[in-house]
Amino acid sequence: MLFVDNQNNTDPSFNLALEEFLLRELTLEEPLLLFYINAPSVIVGRNQNTVEEIDQSYIDANNVNVVRRLSGGGAVYHDLGNLNYSFIVNGREQINRFSDFLNPVIETLNEMGVPATQGGNSDIVLDGKKLSGNAQYATLTRMFSHGTLLFDTNIEHMLNALNPRRVKIESKAVQSVRSAVTNIREALPTDMRIDELKARLLKNIFKSDAIPQYELSADDLAKVEQLRNERYNNWEWNVGRSPRFNIKNNGQFPYDKIVAHIYVEKGMIKTVKLFGAFFGEKPAEELEQQLKGQRFDRQSLEELLKTVDVSQFIAGISDEQFLALMLGDETLESTSPQNR
């Protein structure tokens, strides 16, 4: 096995591109091991609907990255207190054999005084609380098994970023999440930093202080950057690949409740229908037509509203109130059609 140093890059689009590059392009005989730490990010599963998995208002306000990964499974939150690992191997024989990859991680944690065990098929748990979730992805000839280790992750930020119904944080909600997950640092007999955890894992996995490495070349990094730009830093992959879905957003305004029925496909608004006892100088149908074909995200809608006076269609509404209605900042009720 060879260790690949990601050069302390915390950009999730770079790190996921590097992982894919190692899987598809670097076909060495030896298995590869990659560690990376991401800046605050939501990493959505390959088959997930991005819009339904995140709180867009929180994401925008806190500059949280949103990136889709190759593997399936659920959305996860990453920050600088979260250590991610990826084992890249030849062949597909180890698909669903998560224990092959979890065991060295669990052994290391046990040696550090953290009595973690495998939970279910693909988790690492401590006293029933999850500290690591894992997923896999395979090509015809190779595969990776990757996971995240909650070392010192900000649980409240996690809850905010992954809150798809825009419910305000309450102490009981935070406690509920805390009862389901745990940080490794809380269980350590002796405190350490996340880089020390990484060093301990490397030493245990390689059974040596001398860690054999594959050095990324300038050509390798250029290919990673190209893949990053083509896929992981690309709206069409991160959002546009989402399955089609319907959303019903309710906005309570002083004069009445307004309901927006929105149909989205590949991240683009296909139809909008606005309901409510509101008045306007112009028919709402004209506004609905102008919304068709727009990306279903805050930036695109803000750009549209620079050229459209929404108060002409809904008297008394501000741009911010209309954005809140469209993006579900008040209430979000989502229903997805049969081919999610």
Side-chain angles (χ1 to χ4, degrees):
M1 182 177 290
L2 299 175
F3 171 62
V4 180
D5 187 348
N6 82 325
Q7 302 175 2
N8 295 318
N9 196 314
T10 59
D11 182 341
S13 62
F14 173 88
N15 287 321
L16 291 176
L18 174 58
E19 182 178 59
E20 183 176 354
F21 167 78
L22 297 177
L23 175 74
R24 298 189 190 276
E25 303 287 339
L26 202 62
T27 53
L28 303 175
E29 295 264 340
E30 300 95 331
L32 301 171
L33 174 63
L34 172 69
F35 284 112
Y36 56 92
I37 296 171
N38 285 328
S41 317
V42 173
I43 310 299
V44 298
R46 182 183 183 90
N47 304 308
Q48 287 191 294
N49 184 339
T50 302
V51 173
E52 291 183 335
E53 297 302 323
I54 61 175
D55 185 322
Q56 190 66 57
S57 296
Y58 182 84
I59 295 293
D60 293 339
N62 293 276
N63 297 314
V64 177
N65 300 283
V66 178
V67 186
R68 187 184 301 277
R69 63 179 186 270
L70 282 179
S71 63
V76 293
Y77 177 76
H78 291 177
D79 63 13
L80 299 179
N82 190 312
L83 179 64
N84 305 283
Y85 55 86
S86 182
F87 294 89
I88 300 110
V89 299
N90 291 320
R92 299 165 50 95
E93 296 80 12
Q94 291 169 288
I95 285 288
N96 292 323
R97 281 167 40 188
F98 284 94
S99 58
D100 291 357
F101 308 101
L102 298 185
N103 283 342
V105 178
I106 292 171
E107 288 171 5
T108 303
L109 293 173
N110 292 169
E111 290 176 6
M112 292 162 48
V114 180
T117 58
Q118 183 170 342
N121 186 44
S122 59
D123 295 337
I124 300 176
V125 299
L126 175 65
D127 296 330
K129 298 180 181 182
K130 184 174 176 178
L131 60 80
S132 174
N134 294 262
Q136 296 179 335
Y137 179 80
T139 65
L140 291 176
T141 58
R142 285 163 64 79
M143 63 165 285
F144 64 63
S145 187
H146 61 183
T148 180
L149 284 169
L150 296 175
F151 179 75
D152 193 22
T153 292
N154 189 310
I155 302 298
E156 290 192 21
H157 290 180
M158 174 194 294
L159 182 61
N160 273 300
L162 291 175
N163 179 5
R165 292 189 180 274
R166 280 66 173 177
V167 179
K168 291 181 180 179
I169 280 213
E170 297 178 0
S171 59
K172 63 180 181 181
V174 176
Q175 289 305 317
S176 175
V177 172
R178 287 191 181 278
S179 70
V181 301
T182 189
N183 278 311
I184 294 169
R185 195 168 195 174
E186 296 174 10
L188 287 170
T190 305
D191 194 26
M192 67 169 56
R193 301 184 307 274
I194 196 168
D195 59 317
E196 293 175 295
L197 170 63
K198 174 183 169 183
R200 290 288 292 270
L201 285 164
L202 282 172
K203 182 176 181 179
N204 188 63
I205 291 169
F206 285 94
K207 307 300 181 187
S208 172
D209 288 321
I211 310 300
Q213 291 194 38
Y214 173 81
E215 299 287 345
L216 292 166
S217 67
D219 183 57
D220 291 338
L221 291 171
K223 290 179 180 178
V224 172
E225 190 64 25
Q226 180 180 357
L227 183 56
R228 172 184 174 270
N229 291 330
E230 290 176 353
R231 191 195 298 278
Y232 298 101
N233 205 27
N234 190 307
W235 182 91
E236 280 71 19
W237 169 255
N238 293 325
V239 180
R241 193 182 183 280
S242 297
R244 65 183 68 176
F245 61 98
N246 295 308
I247 286 181
K248 182 178 77 174
N249 289 343
N250 301 317
Q252 187 62 53
F253 301 96
Y255 43 85
D256 190 34
K257 181 174 79 171
I258 300 177
V259 180
H261 287 263
I262 309 164
Y263 177 63
V264 180
E265 184 174 355
K266 295 183 178 179
M268 309 293 289
I269 297 173
K270 292 299 180 182
T271 61
V272 179
K273 189 63 183 174
L274 301 170
F275 298 94
F278 55 84
F279 298 96
E281 300 173 30
K282 297 182 179 180
E285 289 79 7
E286 290 186 20
L287 176 59
E288 293 164 357
Q289 281 297 118
Q290 294 189 66
L291 289 165
K292 288 175 62 176
Q294 299 294 321
R295 287 183 178 181
F296 187 61
D297 62 36
R298 179 175 294 274
Q299 182 178 355
S300 298
L301 292 175
E302 284 178 342
E303 286 299 314
L304 175 65
L305 293 183
K306 290 178 181 178
T307 63
V308 175
D309 183 358
V310 70
S311 67
Q312 291 185 321
F313 305 94
I314 305 174
I317 196 172
S318 69
D319 287 357
E320 277 304 312
Q321 287 174 321
F322 186 72
L323 283 170
L325 172 66
M326 289 293 294
L327 298 173
D329 288 352
E330 298 294 329
T331 306
L332 177 64
E333 299 174 6
S334 301
T335 57
S336 300
Q338 62 274 12
N339 61 338
R340 272 198 64 183

